[in-house]
Amino acid sequence: HSIKRLRKAAKFASLLETLTTTTKRAPSADDEETEETNAASAETTTKPPVDEHTQMEARAYASWMRGNLALEQNQWQTACNEYQTALTLCESLASDSSGNKNDDDVNEGDGNNANLQQLELFDFFTTRAQNVIAPLLRYCHYELQEKGMSPTEKISFLQSSSSVSDAPNDPLQSKLHSLKAQTLQNQATTGSSMSQILFRENNIAMETKELRMALLKIQDLKSDWEEDKNANTSNNNASGSDAKFMALLNGYDDAISLTNQELKQLAALKSGPAVNAKRFQLVNILGYCKYQKLKLVMGRNEGLANDIIRRNKKKGMTLKHFEEVAHLYDALLQDGRAVASLPGGGSLEDFDGNTTTSAGGAVEDEFLLEANANILRLRSLRCYYLAQMHASPLVHKYPEALALLDQAESLAQEASEEIGACDQMEGGDDLLENVGSVLEEMRGEKCRVLAVSYLSKNTTSTSGKPLLERLHDYDIPSVPASSITHVPPKLEPMACKPSFFDVALNYVSDYPTEELEHALEEHGEGASSASKGFLGWFRR
């Protein structure tokens, strides 16, 4: 009987949800006059009959009733989904009520009654979410766990359950951590995961349980950080993933520390085939952990540099922005050189058992070629942004900027060749495209710096206009350009001798004849009136 009543209530709740969120207008009797009117009214859409707050409330009520029905029918998965939807909607309604209350505080008059109503709505939806829906959601999660779930499914459900309550003493949080630790312990003991790694063309077996557990923990932390980073990126908030990023770096530090401890234990043993094989294995594990950590840090730093460039490219980069990007590429260059000097690589036959920091930089394999190519790319970008710093209006050191641009262009061409030669380089095509686009920017920047350098030396124009707006203006230098001639040429007096007019007559045909005749007539009339008298020719 209760299931029948719940089914009926859920049906009416779904109908209410449909009625409050529909946007299609029902056809009326007046619309049936012509076929064209009917076709137009069928495609006409109107606003929903209620506001957005009421729509959310109807959806929350419908989800809650469907969850109750699924709970009575022992459909735990469906109940979890519906309760989670209702909980999210109630929390959104509570936050909207709080936001509207703050907005109403600005207005005066009858705003006090509205504030009280919004406060009441905030308490109602918060209480409904925390005291009614959240316990039901926890109960459904518990039933799902008891039905026999895999460890991964249990962890995912506990994570969604722990998001209901952020209290530090939440039992679900402690159970989640204990379940994760137990799962890692089982995986490390059985050796089902992270039994071997691939580093510099060597398959390295993970024989110790502690190292396997450390790498499994790193894998778990990395997946959590990537999920949190993607969620924060979609919400335009990248600060929430910083704590998980630092936890991931600490995980790599723990694995590096464990490897160094085992290497110290082997240092007291005499060299032999078995001891050297164990040292070779640990040295490659150490190089792998350091490489993964450096790769993570380099990716984050280069992402920060690209974000600075992307945000300020339209409105123009300032000296401060160039300094920030150049500092990031300084750190990237240091990390890139550290990658090139990592231990590991080679073969067991070439390994020197007396050194624990194996000559990883001396092994000329694909890994080292890729690291050197990346160093050339980072050096090129560092020189490029240093050149832009020197060419900024506040610094205006144009000769230094031109020298840095020449160096950056040379390094970029060399990096492009080296990256193209590395067939198996991760993201090699994207890096080649990026280097090519930056190389074009370098050439354009070099032309701009040359023009600005010339203008700063040779112009004395007091006009505030840029060069393209004063192309036809003649900037007179304060000092003669050279001792050969004057710029512009000085005017020199010349006697009106017959030979001068003979020379000028040779060029008369190059000018408009009608205008010359008109000018002669005007001057002729004036000359005839002014030259009357015996010595009129002398008064010219």
Side-chain angles (χ1 to χ4, degrees), residues 308-324:
I308 294 174
I309 297 170
R310 185 179 64 254
R311 288 197 306 265
N312 301 285
K313 196 168 186 179
K314 291 184 179 180
K315 58 183 180 181
M317 296 275 286
T318 62
L319 178 61
K320 181 180 178 182
H321 297 143
F322 287 130
E323 288 177 350
E324 292 176 354

Side-chain angles (χ1 to χ4, degrees), residues 159-200:
Q159 284 177 342
S160 60
S161 300
S162 61
S163 63
V164 175
S165 177
D166 296 331
N169 297 325
D170 187 8
L172 288 176
Q173 288 281 358
S174 60
K175 188 173 183 180
L176 174 62
H177 294 313
S178 63
L179 183 59
K180 283 184 177 181
Q182 183 181 359
T183 304
L184 291 177
Q185 186 80 15
N186 295 334
Q187 291 178 352
T189 303
T190 58
S192 59
S193 299
M194 297 303 294
S195 59
Q196 64 178 5
I197 59 173
L198 177 63
F199 181 63
R200 301 185 72 162

Side-chain angles (χ1 to χ4, degrees), residues 217-258:
K217 182 181 178 183
I218 289 171
Q219 189 177 11
D220 189 33
L221 289 172
K222 188 174 182 180
S223 62
D224 290 344
W225 171 67
E226 289 176 349
E227 291 178 0
D228 193 68
K229 183 180 67 172
N230 295 332
N232 291 328
T233 302
S234 61
N235 297 330
N236 295 324
N237 181 20
S239 61
S241 60
D242 291 340
K244 293 187 176 181
F245 180 76
M246 295 304 299
L248 180 56
L249 294 183
N250 292 333
Y252 280 114
D253 290 335
D254 293 340
I256 293 171
S257 178
L258 286 173

Side-chain angles (χ1 to χ4, degrees), residues 93-169:
L93 288 167
S95 61
D96 291 344
S97 300
S98 177
N100 294 333
K101 176 177 71 68
N102 295 330
D103 294 339
D104 292 339
D105 289 340
V106 181
N107 300 326
E108 296 180 356
D110 59 347
N112 294 329
N113 295 331
N115 291 341
L116 294 175
Q117 185 178 3
Q118 297 295 337
L119 184 62
E120 184 180 3
L121 288 175
F122 175 77
D123 290 340
F124 173 76
F125 288 114
T126 303
T127 304
R128 179 57 61 92
Q130 294 179 356
N131 300 335
V132 178
I133 302 177
L136 293 172
L137 183 59
R138 290 195 186 98
Y139 176 74
C140 293
H141 285 169
Y142 174 78
E143 290 293 337
L144 281 172
Q145 296 172 39
E146 293 299 323
K147 289 180 63 177
M149 303 172 63
S150 63
T152 305
E153 292 176 344
K154 285 185 179 180
I155 290 173
S156 62
F157 274 111
L158 284 173
Q159 284 177 342
S160 60
S161 300
S162 61
S163 63
V164 175
S165 177
D166 296 331
N169 297 325

Side-chain angles (χ1 to χ4, degrees), residues 456-467:
S456 64
K457 289 181 179 179
N458 298 297
T459 184
T460 58
S461 176
T462 58
S463 175
K465 297 179 180 179
L467 177 63

